[in-house]
Amino acid sequence: MSQYNDYYGGGGSGGYVAGSPYGGANSPGGFGRKSETSHSLRPMTIHQLLNAHQAHADADWMLDDTEIGQVTIVAHIVSVQAQATNSQYILDDGSGHIEARRWKDSSVEDESEKLGIVEGAYVRVLGSLKMFGNKKYINATFIRPVASPTEVYFHILEAMTVTLIWERGLPPRPGQSPQEAGLKTSSAYSAQPLQNVDSEQYAHLPKLHRAIIAFMQSQPPSDVGVHVSVIARAVGGDAVSISDALDKLSDDGLAFSTIDESHYKLAA
């Protein structure tokens, strides 16, 4: 069992592998592929959960063009409502309020109060985001009191770190340049005038495809390529249209995915 499993609740139920708090070793931070994301555990704030959205009722939850799998938050219990089949907790982390529901096992004695999971306590909650009656809630699979006051601050910093990794990629290792690590410069994170692409070679492509190519050509050379979210932020458009455009460019042999399905590079 890894230190992260001990920290987040034991037994690996949170979706971590030993030595990595964010997913598999073959995918930086565990991000990228849908199958990996859906089984990973992401630290988040309640504000982020409230801003998540679905394309339809059966679709995956998304935040900033990235899929959300299992989540963990650290929050203050405002109120507890115990029922025969479940306990409902109103949680507040300073960024918003959300309800968490934990279903009871009738064969096991409920020891929540003995463990200190009561009104006024700070707790760590693991689970998945759900919707019922147009109201979001966390379907909690694990709740425990925080280990110490520093865990509250650690969680906020961890949520910020993971969000930045999603947006910009993993930070460079010691002795590694930002370009070698695939970390883009600040110019990659804001809309900017796009270079003109070769009109003869790409004239037949739709405007969005040409804009994507122009932006990718403007980036520093990198074996990792450019993250989809960075492309979307620069050229505009929603995640679905950007992904569809990149798929079409890949089918046409003009671009290809690199370390995962979220990083793309132009074909030579």
Side-chain angles (χ1 to χ4, degrees):
M1 182 182 299
S2 75
Q3 59 177 317
Y4 301 106
N5 290 332
D6 291 336
Y7 184 75
Y8 284 103
S13 61
Y16 291 139
V17 298
S20 172
Y22 303 130
N26 293 329
S27 176
F31 301 147
R33 297 184 184 276
K34 187 172 182 178
S35 59
E36 292 170 347
T37 306
S38 61
H39 295 292
S40 65
L41 177 63
R42 178 173 175 177
M44 301 182 72
T45 65
I46 292 176
H47 179 76
Q48 288 178 310
L49 291 176
L50 295 177
N51 283 340
H53 58 87
Q54 289 176 299
H56 53 81
D58 296 323
D60 297 310
W61 287 99
M62 304 289 292
L63 177 69
D64 297 332
D65 301 331
T66 55
E67 181 188 342
I68 300 173
Q70 297 293 302
V71 302
T72 178
I73 65 169
V74 171
H76 168 258
I77 299 179
V78 177
S79 66
V80 180
Q81 183 178 357
Q83 300 182 353
T85 57
N86 66 82
S87 293
Q88 300 176 10
Y89 305 87
I90 301 300
L91 305 174
D92 182 358
D93 68 351
S95 71
H97 291 73
I98 197 169
E99 180 181 296
R101 301 178 187 176
R102 183 173 63 170
W103 298 94
K104 296 180 179 179
D105 184 345
S106 59
S107 64
V108 178
E109 181 183 357
D110 185 2
E111 297 185 339
S112 297
E113 292 189 9
K114 294 180 182 179
L115 295 173
I117 306 174
V118 295
E119 289 185 14
Y122 276 86
V123 291
R124 178 174 289 279
V125 179
L126 278 68
S128 55
L129 187 60
K130 300 290 184 180
M131 176 81 82
F132 180 76
N134 294 322
K135 181 181 178 182
K136 294 173 185 171
Y137 71 95
I138 300 173
N139 184 27
T141 56
F142 180 82
I143 302 178
R144 67 158 175 79
V146 299
S148 72
T150 57
E151 184 175 352
V152 178
Y153 303 110
F154 173 83
H155 176 80
I156 295 172
L157 294 172
E158 187 180 37
M160 293 169 59
T161 299
V162 173
T163 298
L164 287 173
I165 291 175
W166 267 111
E167 292 179 352
R168 307 183 184 184
L170 289 170
R173 298 185 181 90
Q176 190 178 33
S177 70
Q179 289 75 20
E180 290 173 332
L183 186 66
K184 303 300 181 293
T185 60
S186 59
S187 62
Y189 299 100
S190 58
Q192 54 186 293
L194 299 176
Q195 299 175 351
N196 292 325
V197 297
D198 188 319
S199 59
E200 183 177 345
Q201 182 178 1
Y202 302 113
H204 65 288
L205 297 177
K207 182 179 179 180
L208 177 60
H209 295 201
R210 297 199 306 271
I212 291 173
I213 291 174
F215 175 71
M216 294 177 71
Q217 286 178 335
S218 71
Q219 298 307 292
S222 169
D223 291 335
V224 174
V226 187
H227 195 280
V228 172
S229 64
V230 176
I231 298 173
R233 189 172 295 108
V235 306
D238 60 87
V240 175
S241 61
I242 297 296
S243 295
D244 289 345
L246 286 167
D247 287 342
K248 186 62 169 62
L249 290 173
S250 296
D251 292 341
D252 293 342
L254 299 174
F256 59 94
S257 58
T258 57
I259 59 173
D260 57 37
E261 293 177 352
S262 294
H263 288 81
Y264 282 82
K265 187 175 179 181
L266 291 177

